[in-house]
Structures are given as C-alpha cells and as structure tokens.
Amino acid sequence: MDPWRIPKDLKLASQTILETLQQNGRSKCPKCQSSRMFYCYSCFLLVDGVNSDEIPRVKLPLKIDIIKHPNETDGKSTAVHAKLLARDDVNIYTYPCMPEYEDEKHEIVVVFPGPKSVSLEDLPYHLSNIANKKSVLAKPLKNVHGRHESITWEGSEPKRVKHDHKDQCNLDAENPTEEQDAGEMEAAVTPLKRVIFIDSTWNQTNKIITDERLQELLHVELRTQKTRFWRYQKGKPDTYLATIEAIYYFLVDYHRLLLKENYNGEYDNLFFFYSFMYRLINKAKHAAGKLS
C-alpha cells in the first residue's frame, strides 16, 4: 500500500494544463529547442504553447537561494519547480558559483541536517545572537562634526580564505544583500531574509556543505517531515527531503512558528508540478504491478 497521500486540504490551482500537456506529449523549449514535458529543466522555462498565466505564481516571504551540485542531473531535480512557481523569489546557482554571504550572516540560514543544525523553533534565538555579535563589531562613534560613523573592528574574528569562484561565475541573479537599518531590525518579527537549500543527491552533498562560505552560516534542520519523493535514496533517513519538499515544509513552519500566523495554503502551489508528477508515477507503478 502506498504510504503517501496528498493532504486533503492542500490548496492547489487547477492542473488542467498539465493534464493537457501530458496527453499531447512532449513539446519544445522556446529557448534551447530541446524536447521536454511541462517545462525545460535546463532553461527554467515552460514549454511552447503554455502561457505563464496558466501556471500559479507563488509569493514567498523570504528569498531563496538553491545551490546545485554540478553533477546533479537536471531532469531529476525538483529545484526547478521552485524557480518556475516563485520566479521572483528564487535563484539557482551551480556550485562553486554562489554569492558571498559574509556581511549578511545574521539574516541567512542554510537548511541542512547535521550535528550543528538547530531547530526552526530555536531559530530566532540563534539569529539574535549572531546579530548582537555583529552590532558589537560595528560601534557608532562621533567625529569632530558630531556625526555618527560606523567602524568595523577588523581582526576580531579569524580571517577567512577568499574564493576566486565569483571571478569565473556569471552571477546574473539578483544581488542577495539588502539594506536594513537598525530600527527595521528591531521592529521585524524575525531578521531572517534569505534561506539557502542544497540541491544534490545526498551522497554528493558533502562537497557543497563543507564549503567555508556555508559553514559560517547558521544551519537549520527539518526534523519532523518525511520524504515522499519517488527517487528515495536507500540508506538515508526518511526525513531527508527532496528540494521542493524542504522548501515547502520550511516555509509552512516559518509561517506558523516565526511569523505566528495561521497558515491558509499560501505556499501549497509549490507542489503544483510535484503532486501531479507523483500521481503519474504512482499510477504507472500500479499498472506495472509494483504497488498494490
């Protein structure tokens, strides 16, 4: 018996367009002209004949960066779902190309399981500590004209090795840093602005997660949700989620626990492609006798 059921209260847009595309067969990508089903996972575009208004648009409360392993197979990744459905809030980078997050450590977390990872419930406490340390390193001093200036105390933290990756990468996505003054920080429910996810098979994640640019950031672990991904990786805990699952469950918990608002399906359409593809694969497995 199949253990996964799509939640009955999941609020999804009509998937009629996906049913039509599935019946008509593969179409071309308008950019690279490759034959694709539903969307081009290389160009992050819908196939020919599909209008963008036929696909739901999801507005996210945070910016999301997805760091993709260079050996990850594009066609097997669910990261593209997030880019297609929340294009304004999601960027995808191929490792080692990624933004420098040094100056925004108090506003960014990496979602990844591990011994140093904290729970989402404890996230505000840890971000507050990081922000406090940052404020200590930038003391406001008055100059002779009575104006305030900020001075950074260099040498108070170990120097990090500088990467040359950005020189060879085309980071044409939006700049991940955003200005926010102290008054806004204090008024905010949480200072969190950006979340980083790793898109890779679990056996390949070590190369990315051990990068010092990510090691310097706070890590958060999703500990209660179980994966329903059809490409389940043997030998790994069922709490190791597919990329789109991790994004969805993080945002739902963030909405409830940190924003402290009732969740009314605001991010459910992140499963627009995922749920439809799951049903197709599940149906094929039943037909082949692989599921009872």
Side-chain angles (χ1 to χ4, degrees):
M1 190 70 179
D2 177 25
W4 191 56
R5 294 291 183 271
I6 297 174
K8 294 180 180 179
D9 58 349
L10 201 64
K11 298 178 180 179
L12 293 172
S14 170
Q15 295 174 319
T16 301
I17 182 61
L18 299 183
E19 295 169 356
T20 300
L21 290 171
Q22 193 270 329
Q23 293 171 0
N24 293 341
R26 300 165 74 88
S27 300
K28 288 186 177 182
C29 168
K31 183 176 181 179
C32 70
Q33 297 298 303
S34 296
S35 177
R36 299 284 191 251
M37 178 67 75
F38 307 131
Y39 53 78
C40 180
Y41 44 74
S42 302
C43 302
F44 310 142
L45 295 172
L46 299 169
V47 295
D48 280 339
V50 181
N51 296 321
S52 59
D53 57 4
E54 295 179 282
I55 303 297
R57 179 66 60 90
V58 184
K59 179 60 182 174
L60 306 184
L62 301 163
K63 297 300 182 182
I64 288 178
D65 286 353
I66 300 173
I67 313 301
K68 178 180 172 293
H69 194 284
N71 294 334
E72 177 72 2
T73 303
D74 290 341
K76 294 181 178 181
S77 171
T78 61
V80 63
H81 297 180
K83 182 62 177 176
L84 288 169
L85 297 166
R87 184 174 298 275
D88 294 340
D89 299 314
V90 176
N91 286 317
I92 299 178
Y93 303 95
T94 300
Y95 187 82
C97 301
M98 71 172 82
E100 292 288 343
Y101 300 110
E102 172 65 23
D103 295 332
E104 309 297 323
K105 289 192 293 186
H106 60 296
E107 299 172 345
I108 302 175
V109 298
V110 181
V111 176
F112 195 84
K116 62 178 285 189
S117 299
V118 304
S119 67
L120 195 60
E121 293 87 343
D122 295 333
L123 183 57
Y125 168 78
H126 291 282
L127 285 177
S128 177
N129 283 345
I130 295 173
N132 289 339
K133 292 177 181 178
K134 179 180 176 65
S135 66
V136 168
L137 296 177
K139 294 288 187 178
L141 299 178
K142 287 186 177 181
N143 62 20
V144 294
H145 300 291
R147 297 178 180 177
H148 286 81
E149 295 179 344
S150 292
I151 297 179
T152 300
W153 292 357
E154 296 182 356
S156 58
E157 290 185 341
K159 292 184 178 180
R160 52 194 292 274
V161 178
K162 296 297 183 182
H163 284 261
D164 294 327
H165 298 317
K166 61 183 179 181
D167 295 331
Q168 57 184 317
C169 301
N170 178 21
L171 299 182
D172 56 355
E174 65 184 74
N175 190 325
T177 62
E178 297 176 9
E179 296 286 344
Q180 184 176 35
D181 63 31
E184 292 174 331
M185 286 286 287
E186 292 176 359
V189 176
T190 169
L192 186 62
K193 287 186 176 181
R194 190 171 299 271
V195 187
I196 301 171
F197 294 86
I198 307 302
D199 186 52
S200 169
T201 60
W202 286 100
N203 292 329
Q204 296 182 133
T205 55
N206 189 63
K207 180 177 181 179
I208 299 178
I209 200 60
T210 55
D211 188 296
E212 65 178 7
R213 292 172 289 178
L214 299 184
Q215 282 295 303
E216 293 177 348
L217 302 175
L218 183 63
H219 290 201
V220 176
E221 182 174 358
L222 303 176
R223 298 169 177 169
T224 60
Q225 300 295 340
K226 296 183 179 181
T227 185
R228 314 304 181 194
F229 194 34
W230 48 90
R231 293 191 177 95
Y232 178 74
Q233 297 179 49
K234 295 181 179 179
K236 301 298 180 183
D238 57 7
T239 53
Y240 281 22
L241 307 174
T243 302
I244 195 64
E245 291 177 321
I247 293 172
Y248 172 78
Y249 288 122
F250 178 91
L251 290 173
V252 171
D253 285 348
Y254 171 83
H255 194 94
R256 291 169 172 163
L257 298 174
L258 276 71
L259 297 184
K260 298 188 182 302
E261 297 179 6
N262 292 328
Y263 181 69
N264 296 308
E266 286 84 351
Y267 320 121
D268 284 5
N269 272 320
L270 288 175
F271 277 156
F272 181 74
F273 293 108
Y274 188 79
S275 61
F276 186 81
M277 294 170 70
Y278 178 87
R279 285 194 295 270
L280 283 182
I281 292 169
N282 198 40
K283 183 179 179 180
K285 287 183 177 179
H286 274 292
K290 296 182 178 180
L291 292 176
S292 56

